[in-house]
């Protein structure tokens, strides 16, 4: 009880990490955190786009309750005055601090990152952030472009730095201030990379020679993929280097060599991120707080790297919805940590050899909407009550459930067994399910299919993922009253994980699965 919280949230990071079994990536610092943590290998976001996902897990409510499917409304005005996770900690005596991209900036967090409700002091944004989409990428001709693939010389960047470097420095500065204070803290640190543009210090390319980079295992659009399910990756097409390739809309594949370059730069950006995490956790050690600080590490959603002929997020596939999720809880995921112990010595990805296995791993299917009740329970606060069916008028409740009962994994073993369940009617020994959703403006890919504005949404794809399958229904949706009509199904998808782990063979229309749909 009474532990501090360091909440690390990464933009667009799918689990390409050593601790998730990726053989190519160099992520020694995140892997080291995993070696002291419980790692969830089946964790899913509620919508694969930044603002809706973040508002969902920070309020503990699903997108149908926050009513945010795009970037253009503030939940306190348009849905209900819901308390957030940092607000709840603040009301319980914590000093709450935000560094970098935690809430999505703009309307969806009231142009203030929900300050002063959520944070004790105004959130910090790195000054270099405003240059993210400037022409800072050197082309072969020596001119500057706004490219997708953008390794840079940091000394040549505006201010001689990059946003994530600034965020790490600020977070370390804050740790040095709070260490002397009596007050418990909740420090949220949001990193930008590997969000596009893939702009990172160029030396990280050395870790990933192009000849070691493969294409996605399934770089084609699946034959039975309903057209409504496809996202045409418009944000990538608008980058100078992709625009120059003149790829046809909506399916036109990118050239293989360019696909490899994107994948190479995504990995390089992950290693650059890993260095930032390493410096931050090493600072937690240095200020003597590793023994009484919970560390949570996750992402707002994943990112397709050519799977299904898709790039970016904006879909219901695992590649877009699955995220890394791990919790370091001293004395719980590790034996008690003595004060001043070095738990997280900095590891250099350029010289560090050898991986480290997660301390405990759970294959249970879990959702980011459960972060709020889980962190409340871990910190010894009262767990917010479960929301009633309609909760627009309820200030404090959660549509997630605490997953702390999955933590007691005996070392190294993967625990599968009886569900721990407090709330019997909600549970009834059902297998855990993760729900995600994605809106579309039409049945076929349009210029705005990736990010339709609320008024243009006509179809909502509701997706459920269990350990065995992913099942998605694309149904008629009315944006005027936020209602989905499950009688009007536009398309369906069903993937069985055991023989189709990459979700390439849609068997929704195979009538032989009658028993299965009855079960659902």
């Amino acid at each position: 009880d009474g532990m501090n919280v360091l909440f690390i949230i990464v933009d667009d990071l799918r689990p390409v990490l050593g601790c998730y079994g990726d053989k190519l990536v160099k992520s020694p610092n995140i892997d080291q955190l995993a070696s002291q943590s419980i790692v969830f290998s089946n964790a899913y976001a509620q919508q694969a786009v930044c603002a809706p996902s973040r508002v969902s897990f920070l309020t503990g409510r699903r997108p149908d309750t926050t009513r945010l499917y795009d970037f253009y409304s503030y939940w306190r005005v348009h849905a209900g005055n819901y308390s957030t996770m940092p607000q709840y900690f603040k009301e319980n005596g914590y000093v709450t601090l935000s560094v970098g991209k935690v809430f999505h900036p703009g309307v969806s967090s009231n142009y203030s990152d929900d300050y002063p409700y959520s944070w004790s002091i105004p959130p910090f944004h790195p000054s270099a952030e405003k240059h993210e989409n400037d022409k800072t990428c050197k082309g072969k001709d020596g001119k500057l472009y706004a490219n997708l693939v953008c390794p840079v010389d940091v000394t040549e960047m505006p201010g001689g730095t990059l946003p994530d470097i600034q965020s790490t420095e600020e977070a370390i500065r804050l740790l040095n201030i709070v260490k002397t204070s009596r007050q418990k803290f909740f420090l949220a640190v949001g990193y930008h990379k590997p969000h596009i543009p893939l702009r990172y210090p160029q030396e990280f390319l050395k870790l990933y020679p192009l000849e070691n980079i493969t294409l996605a295992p399934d770089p084609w659009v699946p034959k039975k993929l309903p057209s409504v399910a496809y996202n045409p990756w418009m944000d990538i097409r608008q980058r100078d280097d992709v625009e120059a390739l003149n790829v046809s809309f909506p399916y036109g594949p990118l050239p293989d060599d360019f696909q490899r370059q994107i994948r190479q730069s995504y990995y390089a950006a992950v290693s650059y991120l890993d260095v930032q995490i390493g410096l931050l956790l090493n600072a937690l050690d240095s200020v003597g707080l590793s023994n009484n600080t919970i560390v949570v590490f996750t992402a707002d959603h994943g990112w397709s790297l050519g799977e299904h002929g898709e790039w970016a997020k904006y879909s219901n596939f695992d590649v877009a919805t699955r995220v890394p999720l791990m919790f370091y809880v001293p004395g719980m995921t590790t034996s008690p940590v003595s004060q001043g112990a070095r738990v997280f010595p900095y590891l250099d990805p350029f010289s560090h050899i050898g991986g480290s296995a997660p301390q405990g791993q759970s294959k249970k299917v879990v959702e980011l909407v459960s972060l709020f009740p889980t962190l409340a329970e871990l910190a010894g606060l009262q767990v917010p009550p479960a929301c009633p069916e309609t909760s627009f008028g309820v200030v404090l409740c959660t549509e997630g459930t605490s997953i702390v009962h999955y933590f007691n994994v005996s070392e190294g073993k993967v625990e599968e067994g009886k569900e721990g369940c407090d709330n019997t009617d909600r549970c009834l020994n059902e297998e855990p399910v993760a729900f995600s959703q994605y809106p579309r403006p039409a049945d076929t890919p349009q210029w705005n299919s990736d990010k339709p504005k609320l008024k243009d949404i006509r179809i909502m794809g509701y997706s459920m993922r269990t350990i065995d399958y992913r099942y998605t229904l694309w149904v008629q949706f009315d944006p005027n009253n936020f209602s989905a009509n499950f009688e009007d199904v536009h398309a369906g998808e069903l993937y069985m994980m055991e023989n189709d782990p990459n979700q390439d063979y849609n068997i929704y229309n195979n009538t032989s699965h009658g028993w299965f749909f009855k079960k659902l």
Side-chain angles (χ1 to χ4, degrees):
D1 284 5
M3 289 208 189
N4 305 304
V5 177
L6 173 58
F7 182 68
I8 303 170
I9 168 77
V10 184
D11 225 349
D12 294 24
L13 175 66
R14 60 191 255 169
V16 293
L17 299 166
C19 52
Y20 278 84
D22 190 290
K23 299 284 185 277
L24 183 64
V25 75
K26 304 272 190 290
S27 55
N29 293 287
I30 297 168
D31 297 346
Q32 177 172 253
L33 172 63
S35 75
Q36 306 292 322
S37 301
I38 170 101
V39 175
F40 286 89
S41 53
N42 279 302
Y44 297 89
Q46 274 47 77
Q47 191 180 323
V49 68
C50 308
S53 173
R54 288 163 186 263
V55 168
S56 170
F57 68 70
L58 287 164
T59 60
R61 322 259 185 142
R62 299 180 189 280
D64 283 348
T65 305
T66 66
R67 293 191 157 169
L68 182 68
Y69 314 110
D70 57 17
F71 296 82
Y72 307 107
S73 69
Y74 179 41
W75 77 92
R76 292 187 195 273
V77 173
H78 293 272
N81 188 24
Y82 312 146
S83 289
T84 67
M85 170 164 54
Q87 178 181 1
Y88 189 60
F89 275 82
K90 182 170 163 241
E91 287 165 357
N92 278 281
Y94 280 69
V95 58
T96 55
L97 308 161
S98 173
V99 171
K101 185 174 172 185
V102 180
F103 279 99
H104 191 87
V107 189
S108 63
S109 57
N110 204 29
Y111 298 101
S112 66
D113 298 83
D114 198 45
Y115 174 80
Y117 296 101
S118 286
W119 311 108
S120 305
I121 61 173
F124 169 86
H125 283 280
S127 58
E129 202 176 293
K130 61 179 171 290
H131 304 294
E132 269 295 88
N133 294 311
D134 294 359
K135 298 191 171 196
T136 55
C137 322
K138 263 214 179 98
K140 291 207 169 69
D141 56 7
K143 294 199 182 99
L144 292 177
Y145 294 92
N147 285 343
L148 168 63
V149 172
C150 186
V152 296
D153 177 342
V154 178
T155 60
E156 292 174 4
M157 291 300 101
T161 188
L162 291 172
D164 288 343
I165 295 172
Q166 290 183 300
S167 292
T168 303
E169 290 165 351
E170 174 66 8
I172 292 172
R173 190 185 75 83
L174 289 171
L175 284 175
N176 277 291
I177 293 170
V178 293
K179 72 171 181 198
T180 56
S181 131
R182 280 275 123 110
Q183 212 178 357
K184 293 175 298 208
F185 65 84
F186 178 103
L187 169 59
V189 185
Y191 285 108
H192 280 265
K193 293 303 110 177
H195 191 289
I196 67 169
L198 297 168
R199 191 168 81 111
Y200 55 86
Q202 59 199 16
E203 57 270 22
F204 286 94
L205 271 178
K206 290 196 200 82
L207 294 170
Y208 303 102
L210 209 49
E211 59 270 21
N212 296 352
I213 306 291
T214 58
L215 296 179
D218 51 347
W220 56 85
V221 180
K223 279 196 182 61
K224 294 189 176 174
L225 181 71
S227 54
V228 68
Y230 185 81
N231 73 281
W233 33 281
M234 282 301 289
D235 57 348
I236 286 185
R237 295 167 187 273
Q238 289 154 2
R239 303 278 157 181
D240 294 346
D241 50 353
V242 180
E243 207 171 358
L245 297 168
N246 229 342
V247 180
S248 68
F249 182 90
Y251 299 112
L254 289 169
D256 285 5
D257 61 327
F258 194 76
Q259 293 196 32
R260 286 197 173 87
Q261 285 178 43
I262 299 177
R263 289 171 65 94
Q264 175 191 37
S265 273
Y266 188 90
Y267 274 82
V270 171
S271 291
Y272 158 60
L273 163 78
D274 184 76
V275 165
Q276 305 310 312
I277 304 291
L279 295 169
L280 177 62
L281 292 175
N282 184 50
L284 189 72
D285 269 355
S286 298
V287 295
L289 291 169
S290 301
N291 65 316
N292 63 352
T293 302
I294 295 163
V295 182
V296 191
F297 177 88
T298 190
D300 55 355
H301 44 70
W303 211 78
S304 304
L305 286 166
E307 296 84 2
H308 316 114
E310 293 181 303
W311 301 88
K313 49 254 187 179
Y314 319 123
S315 83
N316 279 321
F317 284 119
D318 275 22
V319 281
T321 54
R322 184 168 166 246
V323 293
L325 176 62
M326 60 189 82
F327 298 84
Y328 161 77
V329 188
M332 186 177 188
T333 61
T334 63
S335 43
V337 179
S338 57
Q339 187 161 7
R342 303 300 293 185
V343 185
F344 304 117
Y346 174 75
L347 303 173
D348 181 348
F350 292 91
S351 57
H352 183 75
I353 306 204
S356 39
Q359 172 64 29
Q361 202 160 12
S362 173
K363 287 190 171 159
K364 293 285 187 220
V365 171
V366 297
E367 307 176 285
L368 288 187
V369 74
S370 294
L371 275 170
F372 186 171
T374 302
L375 274 177
E377 181 172 342
L378 288 173
L381 304 180
Q382 196 167 355
V383 178
C387 290
E389 183 93 4
T390 323
S391 64
F392 296 108
V394 184
V395 171
L396 180 68
C397 69
T398 174
E399 292 176 331
T401 45
S402 170
I403 58 174
V404 175
H405 58 276
Y406 294 151
F407 279 37
N408 53 358
V409 178
S410 53
E411 195 171 334
K413 288 198 202 68
V414 173
E415 160 103 339
E416 299 302 335
K418 293 202 307 296
E419 290 302 306
C421 236
D422 310 333
N423 183 340
T424 25
D425 21 299
R426 247 177 116 169
C427 205
L428 290 171
N429 291 328
E430 288 169 11
E431 57 186 331
V433 179
F435 291 98
S436 303
Q437 61 192 94
Y438 213 86
R440 294 280 186 240
D443 285 301
T444 53
Q446 311 292 317
W447 66 272
N448 64 338
S449 287
D450 293 342
K451 295 188 275 194
K453 291 189 166 168
L454 176 64
K455 66 176 173 41
D456 297 323
I457 297 172
R458 295 292 174 272
I459 301 158
M460 187 69 76
Y462 288 95
S463 193
M464 57 190 286
R465 174 69 154 84
T466 70
I467 203 78
D468 298 318
Y469 59 84
R470 177 172 286 288
Y471 174 51
T472 305
L473 284 180
W474 296 89
V475 301
Q476 189 264 330
F477 185 84
D478 182 346
N480 299 307
N481 59 6
F482 299 90
S483 67
N485 177 8
F486 279 84
E487 303 296 295
D488 184 358
V489 175
H490 288 232
E493 297 170 82
L494 176 61
Y495 306 99
M496 304 310 283
M497 301 312 298
E498 190 177 8
N499 48 14
D500 182 20
N502 296 331
Q503 303 169 0
D504 294 317
Y505 303 99
N506 177 13
I507 59 169
Y508 176 76
N509 289 330
N510 303 21
T511 48
S512 59
H513 290 271
W515 61 271
F516 181 81
F517 292 113
K518 279 199 184 71
K519 177 184 170 208
L520 288 178

